[in-house]
Amino acid sequence: MPNRLVLITFRPMSIRGQIQRLRDIDWDPLHWVRRTLSVNGKALTRLWGRDVMLYVGGVSFFVLLAVFPGLAIMVGVYSFFADASQAAAQAEMLSHLMPPVARGLFEGELTRLARAPLEAVSAQSGVALIIGSYASHRGFKALLAGLSFIHDDEAPRGFVGFNVMALLVLVAAFVLLGFLSAAFFYLRFVAAAFDIKPLAGAPWLFSEWTWASFGITLAMSLIYRFAMSSRPVAWKASITGGMAAALLCLFMSWASAFYVEQIAQLGATYGSVAAVVVFLIWLSWTVNAIFFGGALATEIELAMDEHRATSAAGLLPDLRGEKTRLVSGSGS
């Protein structure tokens, strides 16, 4: 009987707590504007330092070292299962996300690989596998190290755990890229071959920008959630950071193209290597966007923890009063 009385009395307390949480929310739009600006300002502060700049340089270097072997590996793998030109077509679609000046580097390399004999492509893929695996693993290690530094992880992973995590992220990223690019390519192929009318009214579905946005958001949300820290980051913070990183990456693609075409004419200064310089500029800006997403996810999680602590402190007197009332009611 006392247990039943305590259970019946406890349920209104739970409802009262939910109502109190809704009352505690500040519904003033200016409050949320100030809160958003504060969180973004703190996220930018985490990026403001020479240490983060060193991580950006490391990631950019190893990505540049791995990207062309990666193209050879992709064409070599496709050559065993399908036409190598399909791999070239998929990579060419993805290259549209780059500035036009740097896009010529990839289109020329893809054309050469697609026209090369199968034996030559296979041999190149074998050598590229060694170079690309080394550079890719080092690049992801630099990326995770930079995110861990930005997140200010109190208990970072050990040597073995860190290298294993970088390897898992590398494999997962390669699989996700292959799956999304194949799905995008075959969706366009099926829609064009069978003339599917309902899909014709959704041009955004066939845009590489849409698929790139979805892929970057998904990939970075998972990285922020599981790989940025030794403990999982909150889903809300991870997804928000992933969306911000995706939007900034696409914006950086447009901004770098505008910069090198309308503001700085790098061809007159760098000559034949201008395309490489443009690619490095675009790559460094993209890495900064990814690091900002991690910083934003960190600050959002800290703000969520602070809000929970404040709410718990505000509800503590009510819980004590409710407990006293329950004890007195049970004794009666």
Side-chain angles (χ1 to χ4, degrees), residues 47 56 59 63 140 143-144 146-147 150 216 219-220 223-224 228 241-242 244-246 248-249 252 283-297:
L47 298 181
V56 172
V59 175
V63 170
F140 274 96
L143 177 65
L144 296 185
L147 289 174
I150 291 172
I216 296 174
M220 297 317 304
I223 289 177
Y224 297 152
M228 183 168 62
L248 281 176
C249 285
M252 292 304 177
L283 190 58
S284 64
W285 289 8
T286 302
V287 175
N288 273 299
I290 292 174
F291 281 161
F292 175 79
L296 183 62

Side-chain angles (χ1 to χ4, degrees), residues 209-241:
W209 296 93
T210 301
W211 287 76
S213 303
F214 173 74
I216 296 174
T217 301
L218 177 61
M220 297 317 304
S221 297
L222 293 176
I223 289 177
Y224 297 152
R225 166 71 176 177
F226 298 108
M228 183 168 62
S229 175
S230 56
R231 62 174 183 81
V233 179
W235 275 115
K236 184 183 296 184
S238 302
I239 294 175
T240 304

Side-chain angles (χ1 to χ4, degrees), residues 24-279:
D24 291 339
I25 297 177
D26 192 344
W27 299 100
D28 185 8
L30 293 179
H31 165 76
W32 292 104
V33 171
R34 290 193 298 267
R35 191 79 175 269
T36 302
L37 293 177
S38 175
V39 170
N40 282 274
K42 292 178 181 179
L44 287 173
T45 303
R46 288 181 176 269
L47 298 181
W48 201 264
R50 63 180 182 178
D51 293 330
V52 176
M53 181 176 60
L54 295 176
Y55 288 115
V56 172
V59 175
S60 301
F61 169 76
F62 284 112
V63 170
L64 179 63
L65 188 63
V67 64
F68 290 104
L71 292 177
I73 294 172
M74 183 175 64
V75 174
V77 171
Y78 264 79
S79 63
F80 286 102
F81 301 100
D83 189 2
S85 60
Q86 294 183 2
Q90 293 185 32
E92 185 178 355
M93 293 176 186
L94 294 177
S95 68
H96 291 168
L97 303 175
M98 304 176 186
V101 178
R103 195 181 306 162
L105 285 173
F106 294 86
E107 292 178 350
E109 180 66 13
L110 289 171
T111 301
R112 184 187 67 83
L113 290 173
R115 294 178 179 177
L118 178 60
E119 294 78 8
V121 173
S122 301
Q124 291 183 20
S125 300
V127 177
L129 180 62
I130 300 175
I131 301 175
S133 300
Y134 167 78
S136 299
H137 188 243
R138 298 284 292 184
F140 274 96
K141 285 176 62 176
L143 177 65
L144 296 185
L147 289 174
S148 179
F149 175 80
I150 291 172
H151 186 71
D152 196 15
D153 194 3
E154 297 179 355
R157 294 183 177 88
F159 176 79
V160 177
F162 179 74
N163 281 274
V164 171
M165 177 58 68
L167 181 60
L168 291 176
V169 174
L170 168 62
V171 174
F174 190 79
V175 172
L176 180 63
L177 177 62
F179 173 77
L180 290 178
S181 60
F184 172 64
F185 179 80
Y186 284 109
L187 180 64
R188 297 186 65 172
F189 174 78
V190 169
F194 296 96
D195 193 21
I196 302 178
K197 296 299 183 180
L199 297 180
W204 57 269
L205 188 61
F206 303 98
S207 173
E208 60 273 6
W209 296 93
T210 301
W211 287 76
S213 303
F214 173 74
I216 296 174
T217 301
L218 177 61
M220 297 317 304
S221 297
L222 293 176
I223 289 177
Y224 297 152
R225 166 71 176 177
F226 298 108
M228 183 168 62
S229 175
S230 56
R231 62 174 183 81
V233 179
W235 275 115
K236 184 183 296 184
S238 302
I239 294 175
T240 304
M243 294 175 62
L247 292 176
L248 281 176
C249 285
L250 299 182
F251 173 77
M252 292 304 177
S253 298
W254 172 85
S256 58
F258 179 81
Y259 174 74
V260 299
E261 292 179 1
Q262 304 296 331
I263 299 177
Q265 301 295 330
L266 300 180
T269 304
Y270 293 98
S272 59
V273 297
V276 178
V277 175
V278 172
F279 177 72

